Every structure is written in C-alpha cells, then in structure tokens.
Amino acid sequence: MKELIEDLSVLEGMESCETVAISKEQNTGKKRKLYIESYGCQMNFSDSEIVASILAKEGFDTTSEIQQADVVFLNTCSIREKAEQTVRNRLTHINSIKKQKPEMLVGVLGCMAERLKSKLLEEEKIVDLVAGPDAYRDLPQLISQVDEGEKAVNTFLSREETYADIAPVRLNSNGVTAFISIMRGCDNMCSFCVVPFTRGRERSRDPKSIVAEAQDLFNRGYKEVTLLGQNVDSYKWSEKENNKAFITKKGIDEVVNFAHLLEMVAQVSPELRVRFSTSHPKDITDDVLYAMSKYENICKYIHLPVQSGNSRILELMNRGYTREWYLEKINRIREILGEDCGISSDMITGFCTETEEEHQETLSLMDNVHYDFAYMFFYSERPGTLAAKKFTDDIPEEIKKRRLQEIITKQNEHSALRNRRDVGKVHNVLIEGFSKKSADYLQGRNTANKVVVFPKENFEKGQYVNVLVEDCTAATLIGKAVK
Ligand code: SAH
Ligand code: SF4
Ligand code: F3S
C-alpha cells in the first residue's frame, strides 16, 4: 500500500490506466471513513480529490485501509478494455471483503460509471452506487439514498460543471507538486476514444478560480502546478459566454485562451513551476510556445500525442492533422524552445486497417522526432466510439502486440539517447522527495520533466537545487548537487 502511495510522487500528466492511487489516511475526528481508489488518467485522480472534499463536509475522513471504510469508491477508467477488466477484478475482491462487512457501501465513480450507468448495478451485484464524473455534488444525497436501503445512480453529464468553487483535498500529493483541473470533457471525437462519451462536452473553468487555486497552493508551500485538461490548447473562457451575471463596464469581453492562462498562472510567482497536459497537435499555437519561452518557470516540456505516424491512419482516427503537420509542430517547438525542450507522446499500434508500411511510418516518425518518453498502447476497440461503429477491428492481437513491442524497443533507445545528451550538464531540479531506491538520495525533476537522482546531503523536499548530471539510465538522470 505504502509503495503505491509513494508512486504518486512520480505520476505524470495524462497517465494511462495501469496506475492506481489510494486515498491517504486523514484523521480529523469525523464520523465516517471514505476509501477511494483511482484508476486512469490524472483527471480522475484530481476528481477523487474533489470527491474527498465534497464528502469531508458531510462528515467523512479518508482512509488508506479498505477494511476500515464505511464507504468504498472506485474512480474508474474506460479507455481500454483492460482498464475496465482491472476494475471488475477489483470489485470481485471487494465483494469478499463486503461479505464480512455487509454495511460497507460500494460505489463506482468516473468513466466506467458513465459508460455503463445502471447496468453496473445489474452486472456487478455488489455495487450500491453509480456516479458519473459530473455528478459528484450529488454524492451526499446518493449516499443517503443507499443508507435508506435503495440503490443510487446519477450519470447526468453537464455542460457547465467545472467544480470551480470546490477546494480539492490533496490526497495524491507529495506537498510540492499538485494538479489543477482547468477544463473538463472533450469535443474532439477521435474515432478510437471513449472520453467524449464518458466525460461529455468540453467546458473551461473560470481563470480567476484557477489562479486563486495556484496562489493558494503556493502560499501553502507547493512549488509546482500542472494544469490539466484533455486538450488544454482549446481552453477558452469568455466572461460573456461563461458568466451569466456578466455586466460589462464598457461592453468589452476579453477572451482568455490557453496562452493567456499560462501567463496568468506563471505570474503567481517565479518560484512556482507551471506544467500542463495534454496538448493537441492540431490546436497548440505559437502563442503557447512563446509564453513558454517568455517565463522561465513555465517548464520546457510538452506532451504532444501523435497516435500514428501515417496520415491515412490519422485521418481514420479523426485526429485533425497529418504526419507533415505534426512534424512541422515539432520543428516550431525546437525553433522556439530549443533542442532541450522535453517532448513526449502517446502512440497506438494496430488501429483498424493499419498496414505494415503504415506501422513503419510510426517508427520513422519516432526516428525523426526522438521523443524523450512515450506511453504506448495497442488498439482496444471501445463500444459506442466512431471507430467501433464505422470500422472493423481487423488487426490480429499478435500483430498489434508485435508492432507495439517494436515501438517500445525504439522508444527505449530514444529515451536513452535523449538522456545521454543531458550528461555533463547542470540541471535545475525541484526536489520532490526521497529516491525510491534509497533514503540517502533525493529525487526531483528538471524542467524537461526528467527524473534526476542525487545524494541527499543537507537538501530538502521543496527546494530548488542545481545538479550536475554524471550518468543516466533510459529512465533517470543521476548526478550530484553543485553550487
Ligand atoms: N486527451 C489526450 C489523450 C487521452 S487518453 C489526447 O488527446 O492525446 C490517453 C491515451 O490513451 C491516448 O492518447 C491514446 O494513445 C490512448 N487510447 C485512447 N483510446 C484508446 C483505445 N481505444 N485503444 C488504445 N489506446 C487508446
Ligand atoms: Fe480522446 Fe481525442 Fe479527446 Fe484526447 S483529444 S480525449 S484522444 S477524443
Ligand atoms: Fe481518463 Fe480513463 Fe476517463 S483516461 S478521462 S479516466 S476513460
């Protein structure tokens, strides 16, 4: 359990679903205990913090021990079939605990709740409560419904809900870095993706509440915030459109886009690092890149998922860009932010009708870009998506997996190559805590999001330190602090 919680300190942006986070122990003397397990991307982890905050007002402390819980929530992910299978296996295990403790309430939250709705109550007999990502304000009411002996479901998707006014209980934090959700939902309709169906329409959160949250975190000693959204580049806030009570002084309605928002958050303090995830190749603008270059505290790292290196597959995926467009974006990043800017990606192998030559184009694009890091998957058909409706999932699993292995092997070479470039250089590192392997070492990240490990000496969590990197693996830079 402990390792799982510590692993959270190295979680990254739109982390994919094989990760699990467990609520920490919180003892403020409240009557009931809530245990939340979160799966999927960082948005889900961030939502669990909102859930904990809503329930804290209703007399719940969180616990990291499922046996002590009165309420057990699984905040779930539907992105691939395997993600849903993991949750089903977990529910089977929880069922055995519930047999000894029948009064324990079991609820499914998040994307799987949204996708399956009340079917979850029938399929998984132990589930008492189902709540989709926009229904968390209703949880106190849903819990009382279960207390009164009924099953409870709310999977209503909203066009407005951003939970802007709810201060998250930081369950997932190391006290140095935190995530701030800046928008919800997604309007992109990539043909393979279930997110638009599970998270609903895209909506942006009021920039004033985002800046206030960043300021509050900074005041409490946090040194880094990551702004989260499925497609941060389409962030857009206009007082007139978003705030019904908007009354102009001079009738001027200033639209805040993502580049503006980045600057606003960067201005909280030069000591507060700003990261963001995920960028979309079709939407990231030069203005975002210029804002990044203007502020030293905006980290020089971009997660820019390509999905495939072939233009025909990209079109079938409905990604809205071609191979050439994508490579041009990479050129702009290198021109404006330099060769050291970290770039990572997501890739899917074996999408419907992908030929061997088209797969080779993904490999050649990787050779062209040299990603620092990538999350790589084989295609998993999701019910209800455009691809499931229009195309046949026709690539045999062993071919999908062989292609996946090929891109993983290539990525490992590139990660090692990119890390070797960093050896011999001094990196400014924000210390996040002890190295996972030894308490004599600390670890943190450089601006490009690379993990740097170095001897502890007298340094402490939350400090910035300059580290001369002397060695590396494919995953880590290793060095020592210098003046
Ligand atoms: N909003 C982000 C991605 C969110 S999902 C973006 O637009 O890039 C995270 C990653 O999961 C995706 O980038 C994609 O690579 C992968 N993914 C999504 N649906 C998938 C599916 N059906 N099968 C396999 N991988 C999938
Ligand atoms: Fe899914 Fe595409 Fe939206 Fe990302 S941008 S969440 S891949 S639909
Ligand atoms: Fe995230 Fe999984 Fe939902 S990746 S948005 S939790 S489907």
Side-chain angles (χ1 to χ4, degrees), residues 79-80 192 230 305 307 319 346 348 377-380 382:
I79 201 86
R80 284 167 289 274
F192 52 80
Q230 293 298 350
Q307 314 298 358
R319 286 289 288 179
D346 293 346
I348 301 176
F377 316 98
F378 65 84
Y379 175 57
S380 161
R382 307 311 294 128

Side-chain angles (χ1 to χ4, degrees), residues 174-177 218 220-224 270-273 275 427-434 441-447 450 452-467 481-483:
N174 50 15
V176 180
T177 62
F218 184 68
R220 290 195 283 135
Y222 284 79
K223 294 287 174 59
E224 182 181 297
E271 288 283 298
L272 182 73
R273 275 183 171 183
R275 296 186 187 276
H427 300 253
N428 190 248
V429 174
L430 171 61
I431 307 175
E432 292 177 13
F434 288 109
Y441 286 78
L442 292 170
Q443 76 168 41
R445 276 173 298 154
N446 70 0
T447 184
K450 291 193 187 165
V452 184
V453 173
F454 57 95
K456 184 179 175 306
E457 300 177 54
N458 293 321
F459 298 105
E460 282 176 15
K461 193 162 95 166
Q463 278 182 317
Y464 289 99
V465 58
N466 285 326
V467 177
V482 289
K483 289 262 154 51

Side-chain angles (χ1 to χ4, degrees), residues 14-17 39-44 75-80 83 110-112 133 194-195 198-199 230:
M14 287 292 132
E15 180 89 355
S16 294
C17 4
Y39 295 82
C41 67
Q42 200 55 57
M43 293 293 280
N44 248 16
N75 195 356
T76 61
C77 175
S78 287
I79 201 86
R80 284 167 289 274
C111 291
M112 211 172 147
V194 77
V195 172
T198 61
R199 294 251 157 194
Q230 293 298 350

